Amino acid sequence: MADIKNTNSSPKNQDYQTRGFRRATGLLAAMVLFTLFAQNLHEGTSNFWVSTLVPVALIVSYPILFFKPLKRIVDTPYFATLSLLCIAVGTALGTFVSQNAPAEVFTNRYGESGSSVLRFLQWDDVFHSWWYVGFFTLLAGSLLKTSWKKKFNRENLGFHLAHLSPIIILLGFWVDYFYGFRGIIQLETGQSTNIAKVYQGNTSYVGDSIAIPFRIRLDHFEFEKHDPDYRLQVWRNTEAEPHAQPAADAHGQQITGTPKIIASMPLKEAKIRHIYGTDIYFRLNEFFPNFTFEYTYPEINDNVEAKDPGVLLNMKTPFGQADVNLFSNRPGRNTIADEQHMGGWLEFYWEIPEALAQAINGQPETEWAKVNRIILVGTEKQIYLWVDGKLSKEPLEAGKFYPFPNRKEIGFTMKYLYPDAAYLLSTPVSDGEELLNPVAKVEVWHKGGHSEEAFLYPGGRRGGVFTIEGTDYFLALESFKDMETKYYRSELSVLDENDEVAKSQSIVVNEPMLYGGYRFYQSDYNPDNPNYSGIGISHEPGLYVIYFGFTVLVIGCLMMFYGKYRKQDSPV
Amino acid sequence: MLESLYYTSTLFKVTFFLYALALAGYVVGIFRKEKVFGTIPYALFTIAFLACTVLIADRWIEAGRPPFKSFYESLVFAAWTTSLISLAVEYKFKVRLIGFMSAIGVVMIFLFALTKRDVEIIALPPALQTWMFIPHVISYFLAYGALFVAGLTAVLFLALPKGIASHHTLGEQSRIDFSATTYQITKFGFLFLTAGLLLGAWWGQNAWSNYWGWDPKENWALITWLIFAAYLHFRNIPSWSEKRLAWVVVFGVAAIVFTYLGMDYLPTAQDSLHVYSGD
């Protein structure tokens, strides 16, 4: 390419140029027609002669027909430029219609007749169509001829590199097209295989299977999400969709419509925030990474009337510890009847229950005696154990650990035994700094109005949010970050024909394993199956040729545009 | 949009304000030929560019990763490269009008970025957790910035085919030919467009075992490359007027805008790996 813009436009020259343009267009159009007929014949019939020889004859006759003009046309600037534009248009066409889709998907999308027309034009697979490849072939011819005509010297080095490198890239590409493949190996931990499913064309539609000369074993797979990052969020309910299911917040208020997040703030205590367009302000008063209540019972005389007696127990299970209150006079709140997990029931009564009294007298109800029970009696400060049909009792001591019948790892410690829960003080605290049960205590107020306190906790629309009365806004405590994948990694082993490990490597996205001319990529996982890993496989013999072409192209352009020895740009 | 502006960082607001101020300065400069009315907006544009640099650096630190992931982040970066190229071009060719038009472009990019504001910073998915991400994006946005400015000079050529005299110039300059300027900038942009395309292919091979996946975004990146390659070759066709050449550049910029913003409208986009997250 010359850097000087030629402005010769005499009528004679114009005429020559017009002819040059017509010839180039004619040549390219004829190529499209020839290849379209050839490819449709090739694909459309099973007759060997018709499907192979006629297309070959068509393809061969095309350049012969144009032999002389071809030689003259391909190195004209018109031809090179038009070829570039034709490839651009062809590529654009390929983005307007689904490519390589399975037949039924394609017909569904474009209808019977629509898809036949598209198929005839090879529009269902533009990038492998003969006409599309034809453009590249002609462009390659044009590049070769143009370069050939230009003198090989230091001044033109950039020009030659820039114009020959696309041919190198195309060669690498074609080598890969004919001798390479891409696919996927789906394995679970411990499994090994030498079979890969091959991708159809350049899509992820799976086609045939292929065997590789060694086996790949998945030794280990791991997958991690990002750490949670809880933030205070302002959401707004937009117009309700006609069929949206109403949900309720923690206070039973209905939330309708599709909520939209408006703002998200880091958990900075005491900083006053404002909701735009309103007179509403709020601030975070306290954040509890692992929210729990700390209970205290005042040291008062035992002569307090037993209005709402209860017991505060610290329950210990393999999953952790928690404070639990049982209230004698509140039905449903005086028993933990989880025999399956705890091996028995835990019950609290302030006065001795009748059924127990009968059992002590040796006449237990059969139904009642079926289950292992731990019965705490407040007035007596006694604990009755009913295990395997036998009754025992011992005094209840604060601070002593009582395991469940036959379950050493589950049990309870009594903290307080009290005649009236009204005197029980509960203070929200955080049990450690680990993010186990995050809760945010916020304060919300209208400008100049009274403030309201609310506890926010994660869990989406079904609770834990705070709806600001009289507005569409609600506050939430959520983390989005931990919904995203941080990494996934497979440890692979290559097994040779004797089942011996030839290579072991761990792969992550962007760090594939190379073995025997094949590359293995971390490309898929299944959040529901922690043992599954999708290993992408590719075999691309032309890859380094392509990389070489890339480098030469950039160097060539650089030399041509800014090189020391190039012809200097002249002003027009 | 005002609501979005309300929740953005102070740094964003300051940067946006400085760009708007630079634009106002350039508007005044159109009506006043004194040198100082060229120097002041140029200085303001430079300060706004520096503020934008801080904005990007701050985001990089806060996110703990290169800030090129979301649509919003990429728009801010596009504004940054456009102002960088514009400042360099205005300095080299001493034309105030380039700064004026770029400032309009940058302010519009910022307004658009506001509508695409990130409520939260998103983490990088595994495929983007690689250093190869950085040169690929930087090459492309330098190319986009340069070609956008080239598109502006091409428009200036179409509007002022005879060029302009010193009235609109910063410093000593007799006459400016916008066609030649367009060519100089396009060459630079094309070089980075090539580098970006090839770096992308190389990275694609590492991340998805595929240097070329005929993904719509890849295809459109190839199409823009081909259009600008065609521009460089059209220059060798004597009968192609400079006016037509300028139109090719404008058309190429339109293709860039479509590649950048229009992928969602393609029926093949659902298979794309390149569509920006965040709407």
Side-chain angles (χ1 to χ4, degrees):
Chain A
M1 167 196 333
D3 279 323
I4 307 159
K5 172 80 181 80
N6 198 332
T7 47
N8 182 354
S9 52
S10 65
K12 197 180 160 196
N13 199 302
Q14 282 280 17
D15 188 44
Y16 167 77
Q17 304 260 334
T18 316
R19 260 183 311 171
F21 175 74
R22 280 194 195 140
R23 280 180 184 165
T25 319
L27 184 68
L28 289 162
M31 183 277 291
V32 172
L33 289 176
F34 268 70
T35 45
L36 259 183
F37 276 115
Q39 192 174 3
N40 278 301
L41 264 179
H42 176 69
E43 288 170 359
T45 164
S46 52
N47 183 314
F48 170 78
W49 299 104
V50 184
S51 79
T52 307
L53 287 189
V54 180
V56 166
L58 273 168
I59 297 295
V60 171
S61 66
Y62 162 72
I64 292 172
L65 269 175
F66 281 88
F67 190 65
K68 254 191 149 175
L70 191 74
K71 259 174 60 182
R72 266 187 303 156
I73 297 167
V74 289
D75 65 344
T76 60
Y78 257 126
F79 186 78
T81 316
L82 278 177
S83 304
L84 289 171
L85 288 181
C86 283
I87 295 171
V89 171
T91 311
L93 289 178
T95 66
F96 297 144
V97 166
S98 299
Q99 300 293 296
N100 295 95
E104 63 277 10
V105 176
F106 197 75
T107 315
N108 253 336
R109 212 167 278 178
Y110 302 104
E112 281 291 341
S113 49
S115 46
S116 349
V117 173
L118 292 175
R119 279 205 194 94
F120 176 79
L121 297 171
Q122 306 296 334
W123 207 340
D124 57 331
D125 189 8
V126 168
F127 308 119
H128 301 102
S129 71
W130 292 10
W131 59 263
Y132 188 72
V133 176
F135 284 136
F136 280 94
T137 319
L138 288 177
L139 179 71
S142 163
L143 288 165
L144 259 181
K145 183 101 192 274
T146 313
S147 189
W148 186 255
K149 261 180 54 180
K150 195 112 173 168
K151 210 170 149 194
F152 280 86
N153 58 19
R154 198 161 59 176
E155 203 174 79
N156 290 336
L157 184 59
F159 179 91
H160 290 298
L161 294 182
H163 286 80
L164 292 174
S165 55
I167 301 175
I168 300 174
I169 296 171
L170 287 176
L171 279 176
F173 213 84
W174 283 327
V175 166
D176 282 354
Y177 179 65
F178 288 111
Y179 300 103
F181 73 89
R182 276 175 61 246
I184 188 159
I185 296 175
Q186 293 167 311
L187 288 175
E188 290 200 9
T189 313
Q191 288 179 337
S192 70
T193 186
N194 65 335
I195 304 294
K197 288 177 192 160
V198 178
Y199 287 140
Q200 212 171 296
N202 276 283
T203 64
S204 34
Y205 296 115
V206 172
D208 304 331
S209 291
I210 199 168
I212 56 170
F214 47 86
R215 298 177 76 81
I216 290 290
R217 188 177 65 202
L218 177 64
D219 293 327
H220 180 69
F221 177 72
E222 63 185 29
F223 158 83
E224 205 176 300
K225 300 240 172 192
H226 283 279
D227 291 334
D229 175 24
Y230 285 96
R231 296 171 70 97
L232 214 52
Q233 299 171 338
V234 180
W235 291 70
R236 183 169 53 213
N237 280 309
T238 52
E239 286 291 300
E241 284 163 34
H243 303 292
Q245 286 290 319
D249 76 352
H251 315 282
Q253 291 203 36
Q254 280 214 336
I255 299 174
T256 48
T258 317
K260 188 174 180 280
I261 186 165
I262 304 296
S264 164
M265 292 119 182
L267 300 173
K268 214 168 173 183
E269 280 175 24
K271 190 173 162 85
I272 295 177
R273 316 278 190 179
H274 173 227
I275 300 179
Y276 177 80
T278 68
D279 65 341
I280 300 160
Y281 293 82
F282 66 94
R283 72 168 161 226
L284 174 72
N285 279 347
E286 208 175 348
F287 177 68
F288 309 95
N290 185 18
F291 184 86
T292 183
F293 283 108
E294 194 173 86
Y295 295 98
T296 43
Y297 199 80
E299 296 269 337
I300 42 177
N301 297 336
D302 283 345
N303 56 17
V304 171
E305 201 188 331
K307 264 188 182 164
D308 183 12
V311 65
L312 174 64
L313 305 173
N314 183 262
M315 300 283 298
K316 196 184 140 206
T317 72
F319 306 105
Q321 293 190 32
D323 284 344
V324 176
N325 277 294
L326 294 176
F327 302 98
S328 171
N329 296 354
R330 303 190 203 176
R333 294 289 307 273
N334 66 343
T335 307
I336 301 174
D338 186 358
E339 200 194 357
Q340 191 191 345
H341 291 103
M342 303 196 302
W345 293 6
L346 180 65
E347 293 156 69
F348 171 67
Y349 301 96
W350 187 246
E351 307 275 357
I352 198 157
E354 203 173 315
L356 179 61
Q358 283 176 9
I360 293 167
N361 296 332
Q363 305 150 340
E365 276 179 41
T366 43
E367 276 305 305
W368 188 83
K370 262 185 182 170
V371 187
N372 288 339
R373 289 162 171 244
I374 303 168
I375 303 158
L376 285 64
V377 179
T379 42
E380 288 186 350
K381 289 192 182 172
Q382 283 287 74
I383 173 167
Y384 293 87
L385 302 177
W386 182 273
V387 183
D388 302 329
K390 281 179 200 132
L391 188 74
S392 69
K393 61 178 178 178
E394 48 184 297
L396 188 55
E397 272 177 61
K400 190 187 166 193
F401 181 73
Y402 296 95
F404 269 68
N406 316 321
R407 301 280 168 105
K408 279 212 172 65
E409 74 285 7
I410 303 175
F412 65 90
T413 313
M414 187 189 70
K415 292 174 102 172
Y416 296 105
L417 183 68
Y418 48 84
D420 191 353
Y423 292 93
L424 187 74
L425 294 176
S426 60
T427 323
V429 289
S430 189
D431 183 11
E433 290 305 302
E434 214 184 328
L435 274 175
L436 295 171
N437 180 30
V439 169
K441 189 169 88 173
V442 292
E443 199 182 343
V444 188
W445 66 95
H446 289 265
K447 197 176 180 179
H450 288 292
S451 68
E452 217 180 324
E453 220 168 51
F455 287 89
L456 308 177
Y457 51 90
R461 299 175 62 189
R462 298 225 164 249
V465 302
F466 177 74
T467 308
I468 302 168
E469 239 185 282
T471 71
D472 293 331
Y473 293 98
F474 64 91
L475 302 179
L477 176 76
E478 292 291 345
S479 164
F480 290 160
K481 216 173 167 187
D482 49 335
M483 296 172 191
E484 293 172 55
T485 307
K486 191 172 178 187
Y487 71 85
Y488 43 122
R489 171 187 291 131
S490 293
E491 275 159 33
L492 298 182
S493 285
V494 175
L495 305 176
D496 62 16
E497 61 271 26
N498 304 321
D499 252 7
E500 275 173 38
V501 175
K503 182 176 186 170
S504 279
Q505 194 179 322
S506 124
I507 57 167
V508 291
V509 180
N510 279 312
E511 285 170 31
M513 171 176 86
L514 180 62
Y515 185 83
Y518 298 85
R519 284 181 169 73
F520 299 91
Y521 298 82
Q522 181 64 69
S523 67
D524 193 20
Y525 69 91
N526 178 358
D528 299 327
N529 182 358
N531 293 319
Y532 163 84
S533 176
I535 317 282
I537 174 171
S538 79
H539 177 57
E540 279 132 344
L543 190 62
Y544 289 111
V545 177
I546 289 172
Y547 286 168
F548 176 68
F550 282 178
T551 317
V552 175
L553 178 59
V554 174
I555 293 173
C557 285
L558 199 62
M559 288 176 76
M560 202 165 59
F561 293 159
Y562 301 107
K564 202 175 160 190
Y565 299 106
R566 85 208 145 92
K567 282 188 210 154
Q568 290 302 305
D569 290 345
S570 320
V572 176
Chain B
M1 198 174 277
L2 279 174
E3 186 181 39
S4 280
L5 187 64
Y6 183 81
Y7 289 114
T8 52
S9 62
T10 313
L11 209 46
F12 182 95
K13 287 178 196 130
V14 167
T15 310
F16 181 45
F17 174 74
L18 285 168
Y19 273 126
L21 207 62
L23 174 59
Y26 277 117
V27 171
V28 174
I30 289 175
F31 302 103
R32 300 295 295 264
K33 60 165 77 170
E34 292 93 329
K35 195 176 166 184
V36 67
F37 288 102
T39 315
I40 290 174
Y42 187 80
L44 283 172
F45 205 16
T46 310
I47 295 168
F49 166 75
L50 293 175
C52 194
T53 314
V54 177
L55 177 68
I56 291 168
D58 178 69
R59 177 78 168 197
W60 195 318
I61 293 164
E62 193 188 350
R65 56 161 177 81
F68 313 133
K69 160 70 186 141
S70 69
F71 205 168
Y72 161 82
E73 290 169 336
S74 81
L75 284 165
V76 172
F77 192 53
W80 186 83
T81 53
T82 304
S83 24
L84 173 68
I85 302 283
S86 167
L87 284 168
V89 169
E90 188 181 342
Y91 183 79
K92 187 167 183 224
F93 297 101
K94 317 270 186 240
V95 190
R96 256 185 236 177
L97 271 179
I98 291 172
F100 166 65
M101 293 180 69
S102 303
I104 295 179
V106 169
V107 167
M108 281 170 63
I109 294 173
F110 260 77
L111 285 174
F112 189 51
L114 269 178
T115 68
K116 305 286 171 191
R117 173 183 63 104
D118 289 343
V119 177
E120 275 193 18
I121 295 176
I122 324 161
L124 283 190
L128 268 59
Q129 294 168 15
T130 166
W131 64 270
M132 277 182 272
F133 175 44
I134 302 169
H136 168 67
V137 174
I138 289 180
S139 292
Y140 255 118
F141 278 81
L142 274 178
Y144 283 3
L147 294 170
F148 179 69
V149 174
L152 295 180
T153 56
V155 169
L156 283 175
F157 174 77
L158 291 169
L160 306 160
K162 292 194 175 130
I164 46 166
S166 56
H167 173 74
H168 284 300
T169 58
L170 173 77
E172 296 303 312
Q173 173 76 36
S174 51
R175 196 145 202 98
I176 176 101
D177 171 13
F178 285 119
S179 182
T181 316
T182 306
Y183 172 60
Q184 293 297 336
I185 310 169
T186 307
K187 255 185 2 181
F188 177 85
F190 182 76
L191 192 65
F192 280 93
L193 202 63
T194 311
L197 187 70
L198 302 184
L199 283 166
W202 181 37
W203 173 26
Q205 178 64 35
N206 272 294
W208 297 299
S209 73
N210 207 354
Y211 47 81
W212 195 260
W214 301 107
D215 177 292
K217 188 108 178 179
E218 291 171 9
N219 289 335
W220 275 93
L222 176 66
I223 291 163
T224 36
W225 187 85
L226 288 165
I227 292 171
F228 284 103
Y231 164 80
L232 296 173
H233 288 86
F234 267 131
R235 289 178 56 83
N236 297 330
I237 301 171
S239 63
W240 265 72
S241 66
E242 288 183 271
K243 218 169 168 178
R244 280 198 209 163
L245 277 174
W247 277 114
V248 176
V249 174
V250 172
F251 188 64
V253 173
I256 288 181
V257 173
F258 184 68
T259 309
Y260 186 29
L261 309 175
M263 289 303 102
D264 287 339
Y265 302 105
L266 289 174
T268 43
Q270 57 204 1
D271 309 321
S272 177
L273 295 160
H274 289 85
V275 174
Y276 281 106
S277 54
D279 45 295

